[in-house]
Amino acid sequence: MPKSRSGRALVASQAEADEPTADTRRRRLVTLLADMVPGACTVRVSQQQPGQNWPSPYARAYDAQGQLMALNRAQRVTVARWVIRAHPYVPWDETYDLDLATGALRATGGGR
């Protein structure tokens, strides 16, 4: 092992060595999304943007009353990509809602 200037061997810190759990990742994702879209309670994510025939990551945000919140293109794509990458096991041919309070992802049943 290489030595540092102090003469002690360099070791990986314990925080880097511990693999975060799925629950930790989910909470971290929900926290980041809530910061990115203040006031949003639910994020709806799909691989199909309305009006397009080709797949494209797409997200919509809804407030506590269920009202659609305005997102710019960068927010829509970034939110969708983060959620899709955080849930690689999900069949993304359907539309899903991510609850920002609990981190639960559930199918909307609406399909594309």
Side-chain angles (χ1 to χ4, degrees), residues 50-97:
Q52 285 187 353
N53 293 329
W54 57 88
S56 176
Y58 188 74
R60 294 178 180 168
Y62 297 91
D63 63 13
Q65 289 78 32
Q67 298 296 315
L68 183 63
M69 298 177 64
L71 298 178
N72 62 38
R73 183 181 185 282
Q75 287 174 314
R76 286 192 310 262
V77 173
T78 302
V79 168
R81 285 181 179 163
W82 286 3
V83 173
I84 289 169
R85 288 179 182 164
H87 299 89
Y89 54 87
V90 173
W92 286 104
D93 54 345
E94 295 184 37
T95 303
Y96 289 85
D97 283 344

Side-chain angles (χ1 to χ4, degrees), residues 5-87:
R5 288 186 185 184
S6 66
R8 297 184 350 192
L10 298 174
V11 295
S13 70
Q14 186 63 28
E16 292 175 359
D18 291 338
E19 181 66 25
T21 64
D23 189 50
T24 304
R25 286 188 193 119
R26 181 175 42 219
R27 278 187 272 130
R28 190 168 46 193
L29 174 66
V30 168
T31 302
L32 289 171
L33 292 176
D35 286 344
M36 183 184 287
V37 187
C41 290
T42 304
V43 174
R44 182 165 288 173
V45 179
S46 69
Q47 277 279 36
Q48 187 70 35
Q49 181 175 344
Q52 285 187 353
N53 293 329
W54 57 88
S56 176
Y58 188 74
R60 294 178 180 168
Y62 297 91
D63 63 13
Q65 289 78 32
Q67 298 296 315
L68 183 63
M69 298 177 64
L71 298 178
N72 62 38
R73 183 181 185 282
Q75 287 174 314
R76 286 192 310 262
V77 173
T78 302
V79 168
R81 285 181 179 163
W82 286 3
V83 173
I84 289 169
R85 288 179 182 164
H87 299 89

